[in-house]
Amino acid sequence: MTMMQGFEWYVPADQKHWKRLAEQIPQLKAWGIDNIWIPPGCKASSKDGNGYDIYDLYDIGEFDQKGSVGTKWGTKAELETLCRTANDNGVGIYWDAVLNHRFAADHREKCEAVEVDPDDRTKVVSDPYEIDAWVGYDFPGRGDTYSKQKYHWYHFSGVDYNAANKKSAIYKILGEKSDGQWAETPDVDDEKGNYDYLMGSDLDYDHPEVEADVLAWGKWLADTLPLKGMRFDAIKHFSAEFLEKFVKQMDEKYGKGWFFVGEFWKDSLEDMHSYLDRMDKKFSLFDAPLVHNFSAISQADGADIRQVFDNTLVQSSPVNAVTLVMNHDTQPYQALEAPIADWFKPIAYSLILLRGEGYPCVWYGDVYGIKGEHEFPPSCGGMLPHLMLARKLYAYGKQADYFDYATCLGWVRYGTHDRPAGMAVVLSNAGPGAKRMHVGEMHAGEKWTDVLGWADGEVVIGEDGFGDFTCGQCSASVWVRCNAAGRDRFNETKFNSSIYE
């Protein structure tokens, strides 16, 4: 299976994105995309908001709130069309669930709070006093449709602004249920002492009304849209106990086959494994350490690429690892930017798409380019669809690694009884590379070529099943036999540059 993150941060705020994705579904399926993680579809704080600034869970582009009926991405009707189109083409849709916080409250409310040290949220730095906080959510455009729950100061654990004195700080609300405490660690992450508070109006899952409303929303959403899974935002910052209940509910009600992945953006493998254990391994995490390894190796001169999987989730727990190269948070000019050199992108994508471990996630910005003030073209010279298709057609069977040289890696996939073609991959993060690799005596006499077209000539497989495979300087090559089933499909694979036209 292959996943695609179906957006980048600077997608135009033209409310046409659901339509764009729907139009691309057949092509994406042909390239090998099985599931698409779509952007947060709930109403944001403004019509231009990406959805992480969430206002109303129950408004998915249906009610006139915060400046428009549709979200940045489009209307509910267009979202339903996208989901139907995806399902008709055998593509699953993963929802991006933003459950940690709320933005753009409808009115202010007064409550008791204390200020805490932003670098150590367990340290109180003021006496309790009354603040005027944006924590009143009435949802006037939606009213009581789908949910009658309104939100008030006692449903939140913290805010970052006091309208009474116009001061920005991190305020811990002295609530009825929390009694002035954040969620306990390890129910939330222990970074900054306690990382319960991230942004906006921070939901308090110790309050039974909050828990009940969000659990009900999960069932409502799955009844409303034909989804195949969820991606959970910012899981370090809200109750893991609550998320356990949420995942269990969705798994039991909607059956096995639903996929759950969390954004746990941290380098600590110990913490990642602890979280997976807590979720009973019915859960996956994005492999943040792998992204940082890609970034570091691509920025170095002739680094030892054999270390690329060291201390990564895909190395230690491949079944629970979603591998990726870049996403909306790590892309240029974003908060968690992890620069990856352009020349290294084909290498990185080869490492996640053409190997047996992990569940790879291709990024929209690498397939279609990045818009906005700082535009970037599609990565990999527009050849990323070829790598996706190579995975779909040839990345099967036993894997044999040739990791015997610091700046040049190779591996072979031997295929299976029903997909016997096989594949040989060579990549280098320095000068031109070459590997003598065994693909099997059953291929003796065959001529193999690079589907990317970056390595010249043909490789003739010897009677012993070996071939001498090459790649260019700071490049990758993917070798398959010339007459392999589906080989001609690479000649038909063209990048669609008109997605925004």
Side-chain angles (χ1 to χ4, degrees):
M1 303 288 278
T2 306
M3 181 200 318
M4 185 180 86
Q5 179 183 353
F7 64 102
E8 54 97 6
W9 194 260
Y10 302 106
V11 166
D14 55 10
Q15 300 193 336
K16 295 180 180 179
H17 196 61
W18 297 147
K19 290 183 177 180
R20 269 192 294 269
L21 283 179
E23 291 170 356
Q24 293 299 305
I25 290 288
Q27 181 64 81
L28 290 168
K29 179 63 176 179
W31 286 342
I33 296 299
D34 300 291
N35 298 288
I36 299 177
W37 151 29
I38 62 173
C42 300
K43 187 61 60 72
S45 65
S46 73
K47 63 184 179 65
D48 297 336
N50 280 347
Y52 297 105
D53 53 336
I54 185 171
Y55 166 67
D56 185 1
L57 278 174
Y58 288 93
D59 183 357
I60 56 176
E62 184 178 5
F63 303 98
D64 190 355
Q65 299 188 113
K66 301 304 173 185
S68 71
V69 172
T71 65
K72 172 181 176 177
W73 321 108
T75 66
K76 178 185 178 183
E78 291 162 348
L79 174 57
E80 290 171 332
T81 298
L82 166 62
C83 291
R84 285 195 303 270
T85 302
N87 275 251
D88 289 346
N89 284 271
V91 174
I93 295 294
Y94 297 158
W95 188 264
D96 198 332
V98 183
L99 306 181
N100 176 70
H101 52 264
R102 300 291 171 87
F103 272 86
D106 299 306
H107 64 267
R108 301 193 301 269
E109 294 182 352
K110 293 181 180 179
C111 56
E112 289 287 308
V114 292
E115 297 177 29
V116 300
D117 186 332
D119 296 318
D120 182 358
R121 279 78 180 283
T122 64
K123 183 178 179 182
V124 175
V125 295
S126 78
D127 293 328
Y129 68 98
E130 185 178 78
I131 65 172
D132 198 13
W134 287 97
V135 286
Y137 292 79
D138 298 326
F139 313 115
R142 175 171 59 82
D144 291 340
T145 304
Y146 305 132
S147 171
K148 296 181 179 180
Q149 179 67 46
K150 314 303 178 188
Y151 285 81
H152 302 286
W153 66 269
Y154 46 82
H155 293 121
F156 300 97
S157 60
V159 292
D160 62 1
Y161 183 71
N162 177 13
N165 60 8
K166 299 182 180 179
K167 182 178 181 180
S168 294
I170 297 181
Y171 298 91
K172 183 167 60 174
I173 294 174
L174 305 181
E176 294 176 334
K177 295 294 293 182
S178 66
D179 194 27
Q181 301 300 317
W182 301 119
E184 294 182 357
T185 57
D187 202 36
V188 295
D189 195 65
D190 62 0
E191 189 176 345
K192 298 183 184 297
N194 181 300
Y195 222 166
D196 188 355
Y197 186 82
L198 176 63
M199 62 177 72
S201 306
D202 189 76
L203 285 166
D204 182 1
Y205 282 98
D206 282 338
H207 199 294
E209 292 180 352
V210 175
E211 178 180 291
D213 189 50
V214 179
L215 287 174
W217 168 79
K219 291 187 284 189
W220 169 82
L221 183 72
D223 288 337
T224 302
L225 298 172
L227 305 174
K228 295 297 184 183
M230 286 186 166
R231 177 263 186 190
F232 296 98
D233 183 59
I235 61 172
K236 291 194 303 183
H237 306 283
F238 68 92
S239 170
E241 181 180 357
F242 167 77
L243 190 54
E244 284 181 78
K245 294 179 182 179
F246 190 96
V247 168
K248 183 178 180 182
Q249 165 190 276
M250 304 304 284
D251 189 50
E252 291 178 351
K253 182 173 175 60
Y254 299 99
K256 294 182 179 179
W258 263 62
F259 176 75
F260 304 101
V261 59
E263 180 215 11
F264 192 91
W265 209 254
K266 196 170 185 179
D267 278 343
S268 171
L269 274 181
E270 180 180 356
D271 289 351
M272 297 176 86
H273 284 297
S274 294
Y275 201 95
L276 289 171
D277 288 341
R278 181 161 190 166
M279 302 302 289
D280 197 25
K281 298 293 179 75
K282 295 179 178 179
F283 203 77
S284 294
L285 296 175
F286 290 100
D287 197 344
L290 178 63
V291 173
H292 293 305
N293 283 0
F294 285 157
S295 178
I297 292 173
S298 80
Q299 301 297 313
D301 184 15
D304 190 340
I305 199 171
R306 293 173 298 183
Q307 300 172 0
V308 67
F309 294 117
D310 287 0
N311 301 311
T312 62
L313 188 62
V314 72
Q315 181 187 64
S316 58
S317 186
V319 173
N320 301 101
V322 173
T323 54
L324 69 162
V325 176
M326 189 166 282
N327 68 14
H328 64 290
D329 284 324
T330 68
Q331 73 179 89
Y333 304 98
Q334 280 303 296
L336 299 176
E337 180 178 356
I340 296 177
D342 291 342
W343 64 266
F344 193 78
K345 286 281 186 78
I347 294 174
Y349 272 110
S350 296
L351 286 163
I352 70 169
L353 286 170
L354 305 181
R355 296 179 59 76
E357 300 81 17
Y359 181 5
C361 182
V362 175
W363 181 52
Y364 180 97
D366 281 327
V367 177
Y368 296 111
I370 299 173
K371 303 299 282 187
E373 181 180 354
H374 306 281
E375 291 198 12
F376 292 83
S379 74
C380 305
M383 298 298 284
L384 182 51
H386 284 67
L387 288 170
M388 294 152 56
L389 186 56
R391 173 179 175 81
K392 178 178 180 177
L393 296 177
Y394 306 116
Y396 297 91
K398 181 182 175 182
Q399 180 173 288
D401 289 338
Y402 293 77
F403 284 24
D404 53 340
Y405 194 78
T407 59
C408 181
L409 304 183
W411 66 90
V412 168
R413 301 297 297 274
Y414 281 99
T416 57
H417 73 280
D418 57 337
R419 295 180 180 271
M423 176 179 67
V425 182
V426 184
L427 52 85
S428 169
N429 63 322
K435 293 286 184 185
R436 181 169 175 79
M437 299 190 293
H438 180 264
V439 297
E441 289 82 352
M442 62 284 199
H443 297 297
E446 293 178 356
K447 296 178 180 179
W448 288 36
T449 56
D450 174 20
V451 299
L452 300 178
W454 292 342
D456 295 331
E458 298 175 340
V459 172
V460 178
I461 309 302
E463 292 299 320
D464 56 359
F466 278 84
D468 295 311
F469 302 98
T470 63
C471 72
Q473 177 179 342
C474 297
S475 185
S477 59
V478 182
W479 298 85
V480 302
R481 61 189 173 96
C482 298
N483 60 342
R487 178 64 177 83
D488 57 344
R489 290 171 65 177
F490 284 89
N491 298 326
E492 302 167 2
T493 301
K494 293 183 172 62
F495 169 69
N496 182 358
S497 61
S498 61
I499 189 170
Y500 289 107
E501 294 176 1

